[in-house]
Amino acid sequence: MALLSLEQKQKQSQVMSQRQIQSLKILAMSSDDLRERIYKEVQENPALELTQEQTASYSFNAGTHTTSHSSLAAQEASDRFQAALEAQVDERISLQEHLLDQFTVLPLSASELALGKTLILNLDEKGFHILSPLSLLDKKDKGQTPAVLAHCLSVLQSLDPAGTCTANTQESLLVQAKQKERAPRLALFFLNGHLDFLDPPQLSRIVKKLTDYKKEQAALFASKEDPYLKDTPLTEEAIEQALTFIRTLDPFPARNFSTQDTHYIAPDVVVEKNLEINLAHDRMPGIRINQEMLDLYEKAQNTNGKQMKTIGENIKNARNFIQTVEYRESTLLAAAKIIVQKQKDFFEKGPGNLVPLRQQDVADILKVHETTISRMANSKYLQCEWGLFELKYFFTGSASRSKIENTVSRDQVLHQIKQILIQHEKDGTQKKMSDQQLAEALGKQGIHIARRTVAKYRSLLNISSSYER
């Protein structure tokens, strides 16, 4: 017969408090989820109140913004008109539906189909990218490479309406122009990053700008000439013809489609060209403790009534909630500063310049657990001059685990291989570069990786071997 016995053991364990749990939940929230949570907390806790709400309307002009406030009567009239518009059923299909109907019937690989769908769902109501297309590549899908991305973008931009799935109006117009037969070469030149030549829109001054530009290019690049200006007459008549052609293009080709399925993604962090970092607070309401509630509680601190106890609990909960929101913001800003410092080359030069950076690296600097950084990066977005990126995009592994190569990211290697092959083709060399030659060319740039590793990365870029090219 077994004997029962009591035994006392000492065990140390850490149990998270409700406040810690709430803090981690707030940290993992997206901006939209946090905004809804703030409104809910203010509604449920009388000790919490809003300090600001986005009630003003803003207009932007030439890089500056002014705030305009409408009168109450005008605002009510506007609200009634908007309500009447919203009450009407929009029977138009969305841009996403229209593009998907065309894209999904094309002969595409599984990777191209998946990437194309992602790109389509990433468009705003104007047909422009919300997130940077490069950030949408699925790293788990080896078939989704920068080369496949370029192909998908080209296909989508050629669908009806032409010019969607582009970065902005200028790129949209250029895509449309290239698809037109007999597009004036000067029109293509202006749309290819030279719209500033048309300001001011005086023909004689535009002719002078073009002439000066052509002379400068000839002095700098004697053997090369802008293909759009080569053998092109720089006359007022030619410029007028180009302007007439540009006016036939649609700057917003998606305007005739329903926008009911459009979802906006707003940045949480904004990085300026000078690498100044700011949190995007323009869409987030401010909160504080209700001063009247504080005064009431302080006057009746010695009262043991149930009502005073409830007020005390509300104030305590309000303080805790404000502190968790502040913790989210301070952690997000601190992590963003480290990301910008570590990925400085990316923010100065653009995609293709990421260096290896792990979430653990940031966690070590901030002296927090890696899971804290993982929660912080969840559903958060960073806006910079190169586009809108998920914070997770900036965490990338190294190309190799060796001590020599751990400072080179896979992103850099892929970018450099592509650039080397493009330059090799531009040089007009008939013989294709082998993987060994690619490895040697990378070595000259300080990227020392084996030939078989080059072959693997070349395959990721969907580039055939030298025998097949």
Side-chain angles (χ1 to χ4, degrees):
M1 182 176 177
L3 295 176
L4 296 176
S5 63
L6 294 175
E7 186 179 355
Q8 190 175 24
K9 287 185 178 180
Q10 198 173 32
K11 183 180 179 182
Q12 186 177 17
S13 63
Q14 184 177 5
V15 180
M16 294 182 69
S17 66
Q18 284 298 115
R19 180 177 172 181
Q20 287 175 316
I21 294 173
Q22 182 190 51
S23 180
L24 292 177
K25 286 182 177 179
I26 295 294
L27 182 63
M29 283 183 178
S30 66
S31 293
D32 288 339
D33 290 339
L34 178 59
R35 188 169 60 255
E36 290 181 9
R37 178 64 180 272
I38 289 174
Y39 287 133
K40 182 181 179 182
E41 288 286 334
V42 170
Q43 186 177 11
E44 295 178 352
N45 189 345
L48 202 61
E49 66 177 8
L50 298 176
T51 60
Q52 61 177 0
E53 290 195 66
Q54 301 306 312
T55 54
S57 59
Y58 296 87
S59 59
F60 296 86
N61 183 20
T64 61
H65 70 272
T66 56
T67 307
S68 59
H69 298 268
S70 304
S71 67
L72 181 60
Q75 185 63 48
E76 289 177 351
S78 175
D79 290 343
R80 288 194 298 271
F81 178 70
Q82 184 65 28
L85 287 177
E86 292 175 354
Q88 297 180 9
V89 178
D90 190 347
E91 297 179 348
R92 299 173 299 169
I93 66 171
S94 69
L95 173 67
Q96 283 77 8
E97 290 173 329
H98 184 63
L99 292 176
L100 283 170
D101 286 344
Q102 301 172 72
F103 188 72
T104 53
V105 298
L106 298 174
L108 302 163
S109 67
S111 296
E112 289 171 333
L113 187 61
L115 180 55
K117 287 181 178 179
T118 303
L119 289 167
I120 290 172
L121 296 176
N122 183 52
L123 301 179
D124 63 17
E125 81 284 358
K126 296 178 181 178
F128 301 150
H129 305 304
I130 298 174
L131 294 178
S132 168
L134 195 62
S135 70
L136 300 177
L137 287 173
D138 185 353
K139 296 179 181 178
K140 297 179 181 179
D141 186 349
K142 294 183 179 180
Q144 292 192 22
T145 65
V148 171
L149 173 62
H151 174 67
C152 286
L153 287 172
S154 177
V155 171
L156 290 171
Q157 290 168 0
S158 66
L159 299 179
D160 177 66
T164 60
C165 208
T166 50
N168 47 44
T169 297
Q170 185 169 326
E171 185 183 1
S172 176
L173 293 175
L174 179 61
V175 167
Q176 294 175 55
K178 286 182 176 180
Q179 294 180 21
K180 299 275 189 180
E181 292 184 6
R182 299 178 181 176
R185 298 169 71 84
L186 265 182
L188 295 172
F189 171 80
F190 290 136
L191 295 175
N192 192 33
H194 299 103
L195 283 178
D196 56 310
F197 279 54
L198 304 179
D199 185 23
Q202 297 176 5
L203 298 181
S204 58
R205 296 187 66 173
I206 297 173
V207 169
K208 186 178 186 307
K209 287 183 181 180
L210 287 170
T211 304
D212 292 343
Y213 174 81
K214 195 168 183 179
K215 289 179 181 177
E216 290 174 4
Q217 293 298 301
L220 293 172
F221 310 103
S223 60
K224 293 184 180 180
E225 185 178 1
D226 191 302
Y228 294 134
L229 292 185
K230 189 176 182 180
D231 301 325
T232 301
L234 305 182
T235 63
E236 293 187 8
E237 183 181 357
I239 294 171
E240 186 62 51
Q241 183 183 6
L243 293 178
T244 301
F245 172 81
I246 292 174
R247 293 188 190 103
T248 66
L249 306 176
D250 189 347
F252 303 109
R255 71 175 83 204
N256 294 321
F257 293 88
S258 169
T259 60
Q260 59 186 0
D261 293 325
T262 300
H263 300 280
Y264 294 93
I265 297 177
D268 299 89
V269 180
V270 178
V271 180
E272 305 293 346
K273 278 190 176 183
N274 61 358
L275 301 189
E276 180 182 341
I277 308 165
N278 295 295
L279 294 181
H281 283 133
D282 56 320
R283 299 174 66 247
M284 196 65 65
I287 49 175
R288 67 186 176 194
I289 297 176
N290 187 307
Q291 188 60 46
E292 292 182 4
M293 195 74 71
L294 274 176
D295 294 340
L296 177 62
Y297 183 68
E298 289 176 1
K299 289 178 182 178
Q301 273 189 344
N302 298 325
T303 305
N304 295 322
K306 185 177 179 180
Q307 184 180 8
M308 287 301 105
K309 186 178 180 180
T310 301
I311 292 176
E313 285 294 323
N314 287 338
I315 292 174
K316 179 183 176 181
N317 292 337
R319 282 198 178 111
N320 287 343
F321 182 73
I322 291 173
Q323 288 172 359
T324 58
V325 173
E326 290 175 345
Y327 173 73
R328 175 189 183 272
E329 294 189 342
S330 63
T331 303
L332 181 58
L333 184 59
K337 286 180 179 178
I338 294 171
I339 289 172
V340 172
Q341 289 170 0
K342 299 294 184 181
Q343 303 291 9
K344 187 176 179 181
D345 282 349
F346 170 90
F347 291 99
E348 291 182 343
K349 302 174 185 176
N353 292 283
L354 289 179
V355 299
L357 181 64
R358 303 173 303 158
Q359 293 182 355
Q360 184 64 57
D361 298 331
V362 177
D364 291 342
I365 296 173
L366 294 181
K367 294 180 171 54
V368 297
H369 197 274
E370 183 182 357
T371 56
T372 300
I373 301 303
S374 178
R375 289 187 176 95
M376 178 280 305
N378 183 53
S379 302
K380 309 295 190 306
Y381 297 88
L382 181 148
Q383 176 76 55
C384 64
E385 64 173 307
W386 309 108
L388 188 64
F389 297 83
E390 274 193 286
L391 275 185
K392 292 180 179 179
Y393 173 75
F394 298 98
F395 296 108
T396 177
S398 60
S400 172
R401 295 184 182 275
S402 72
K403 292 182 180 179
I404 298 176
E405 298 156 15
N406 62 4
T407 58
V408 182
S409 72
R410 189 176 74 166
D411 176 73
Q412 288 176 306
V413 177
L414 291 171
H415 181 74
Q416 288 303 323
I417 288 175
K418 187 176 179 181
Q419 293 304 311
I420 289 171
L421 291 174
I422 290 174
Q423 186 58 48
H424 185 74
E425 187 176 344
K426 284 183 178 179
D427 292 340
T429 307
Q430 296 295 322
K431 190 175 181 181
K432 304 299 182 182
M433 290 187 78
S434 66
D435 292 335
Q436 183 59 43
Q437 289 173 321
L438 270 173
E440 292 171 359
L442 288 169
K444 292 178 181 178
Q445 298 182 10
I447 303 175
H448 304 283
I449 58 177
R451 180 198 58 75
R452 61 181 180 275
T453 307
V454 171
K456 180 179 72 174
Y457 288 140
R458 175 180 50 71
S459 178
L460 287 175
L461 288 168
N462 203 28
I463 298 173
S464 305
S465 68
S466 58
Y467 297 103
E468 298 171 343
R469 277 183 270 141

